[in-house]
Amino acid sequence: MSASPAPIFAGRRVLITGASSGIGAAIGRRLAADGAAVMLAARRTDRLEALAAEITAAGGTAAIATVDIADRAAVQRLADETEARFGAIDVLVNNAGLMPLSPLAAGKVEEWERMVDVNLKGVLYGIAAVLPKMQAQGRGHVINVASVAAHKVFPGAAVYCATKFAVRALSEGLRMEAGPKIRTTVISPGTVATELADTITVPEVAAMIRRYQEIAIGPEAIADAVAYAMAQPATVDVNEIVIRPTAQDL
Ligand code: NDP
């Protein structure tokens, strides 16, 4: 009888931001189940510990880091610790984000700043921390989770869309600049059933988003897309994937 083949991502070391819930947690579960060593980063340590315990109990490899990705020095430490723990970072999944939607006239400037700090600057800090390492090792893959809101603007979502359009723009710049051995993928989900809408502070907007969420797909669909992009040969770079619920018309 022949031995069963190694899991598809055996030996791959993946740093995932926003891994304490929703899409990031689903990505962590999926990649670990397929043999990757995953570093799970976010602020809620209890959630990260529970996910890492689940992955480890299933025979996978996971470590955790409590990090606010709006803190540039902390993101650099995260990348350094991941490298020290696993030996290298093969894939960075820039997934952490928040979506406190509101009309511009509501003047929620602190919420705008937080979205810029996490959704945009957090992604930049992640790239800054791993790009030199990936260039030095001659391989790497940066996967940025954007949104359908990176492709079109919605009323009440101007600042969120601005951050996600920016993530798409910088991903394209990274793709062109990073060199022939580093892959760049942008994944743009439509409505996914997660905790993302919990940061909305305008009741009417929260109610509208709850209605959209009736058709939401599970975060495993986004994890499947990450796995698809990672599973390609090193010479194949899946640049963009947009995934919506079939019933989503926006
Ligand atoms: P969740 O709210 O479930 O997850 C967001 C994750 O980001 C959490 O793990 C949260 O962890 C983390 N996070 C937020 N702020 C920070 C921070 N400052 N530092 C570190 N981690 C942070 O929502 P989703 O899973 O839906 O969101 C994941 C990504 O998917 C986001 O970028 C979002 O914009 C994008 N997206 C989601 C869609 C959806 O419909 N759900 C659609 C399109 C895109 P913690 O609070 O523990 O720090």
Side-chain angles (χ1 to χ4, degrees):
M1 211 166 76
S2 60
S4 49
I8 185 169
F9 298 134
R12 237 63 90 92
R13 293 138 306 181
V14 186
L15 169 54
I16 306 164
T17 70
S20 59
S21 63
I23 292 169
I27 294 169
R29 267 191 202 97
R30 167 64 194 268
L31 300 183
D34 283 335
V38 292
M39 174 61 85
L40 309 167
R43 293 165 304 170
R44 288 171 294 175
T45 311
D46 54 338
R47 296 284 203 100
L48 296 172
E49 283 173 347
L51 179 57
E54 179 194 319
I55 288 171
T56 309
T61 303
I64 66 165
T66 306
V67 177
D68 181 343
I69 62 148
D71 177 343
R72 178 180 165 189
V75 175
Q76 184 63 54
R77 281 196 300 277
L78 169 66
D80 293 344
E81 282 165 24
T82 307
E83 187 179 49
R85 176 79 183 247
F86 292 152
I89 301 170
D90 301 300
V91 183
L92 167 65
V93 184
N94 274 314
N95 164 76
L98 72 162
M99 190 186 72
L101 302 180
S102 62
L104 289 170
K108 302 236 174 216
V109 178
E110 286 82 12
E111 294 182 358
W112 304 348
E113 287 176 335
R114 198 68 192 146
M115 282 190 277
V116 171
D117 286 347
V118 176
N119 300 3
L120 176 53
K121 289 167 76 176
V123 172
L124 286 168
Y125 296 156
I127 291 169
V130 303
L131 188 55
K133 298 181 192 299
M134 289 180 174
Q135 288 184 319
Q137 71 199 16
R139 67 172 191 287
H141 193 169
V142 177
I143 300 176
N144 294 330
V145 178
S147 172
V148 163
H151 293 257
K152 46 165 59 174
V153 180
F154 304 93
V159 179
Y160 181 71
C161 293
T163 63
K164 294 298 187 176
F165 268 70
V167 166
R168 229 177 122 221
L170 71 90
S171 302
E172 176 63 358
L174 178 66
R175 183 188 72 75
M176 291 186 287
E177 289 182 24
K181 304 232 168 113
I182 295 174
R183 302 193 287 182
T184 306
T185 302
V186 187
I187 298 187
S188 289
T191 305
V192 181
T194 69
E195 299 168 23
L196 189 68
D198 291 359
T199 52
I200 299 173
T201 57
V202 179
E204 311 83 74
V205 179
M208 186 188 70
I209 294 299
R210 272 198 295 278
R211 283 198 297 282
Y212 283 130
Q213 284 182 329
E214 286 167 13
I215 53 142
I217 52 176
E220 300 77 19
I222 314 307
D224 285 348
V226 170
Y228 170 75
M230 279 178 57
Q232 301 311 306
T235 50
V236 176
D237 188 2
V238 177
N239 301 136
E240 284 220 54
I241 304 178
V242 183
I243 311 168
R244 290 180 175 85
T246 309
Q248 181 170 338
D249 52 2
L250 293 175

